[in-house]
Amino acid sequence: NWRLRQATRADDPAAARAALDALVAAAPDYAEAYNQRAIHFFKRGEYPRAVADCEAALRLNPHHFGAAAGLGQCYLKL
């Protein structure tokens, strides 16, 4: 959780992305890491990447409302 907070608070988008990638690699079963990386991608208009991470979060936690809502928002943008 601490690493996730640090990643989402990073001012530099490249640093945030690197931290989120590292967190996903270190904790591949942590749905919220994928969800936060999906939000990162969504904010940058990288909707296909956001979709992939929302789907990964939902595979890990089918009841993850944020990932489901984010997936819907991605599909609207696409």
Side-chain angles (χ1 to χ4, degrees):
N1 285 329
W2 181 85
R3 286 178 67 182
L4 182 63
R5 279 195 314 272
Q6 296 304 313
T8 58
R9 292 179 182 167
D11 291 329
D12 176 34
R17 166 73 191 281
L20 289 166
D21 287 346
L23 182 56
V24 165
D29 294 331
Y30 186 32
E32 190 57 25
Y34 290 97
N35 185 57
Q36 290 300 316
R37 192 169 66 175
I39 292 168
H40 172 84
F41 288 140
F42 183 88
K43 288 179 179 179
R44 281 147 194 80
E46 298 181 50
Y47 305 118
R49 287 179 154 182
V51 165
D53 275 351
C54 286
E55 289 174 343
L58 288 167
R59 274 192 302 278
L60 293 167
N61 178 0
H63 305 289
H64 195 299
F65 180 81
L71 185 60
Q73 290 298 314
C74 290
Y75 284 138
L76 282 173
K77 292 290 187 177
L78 289 170

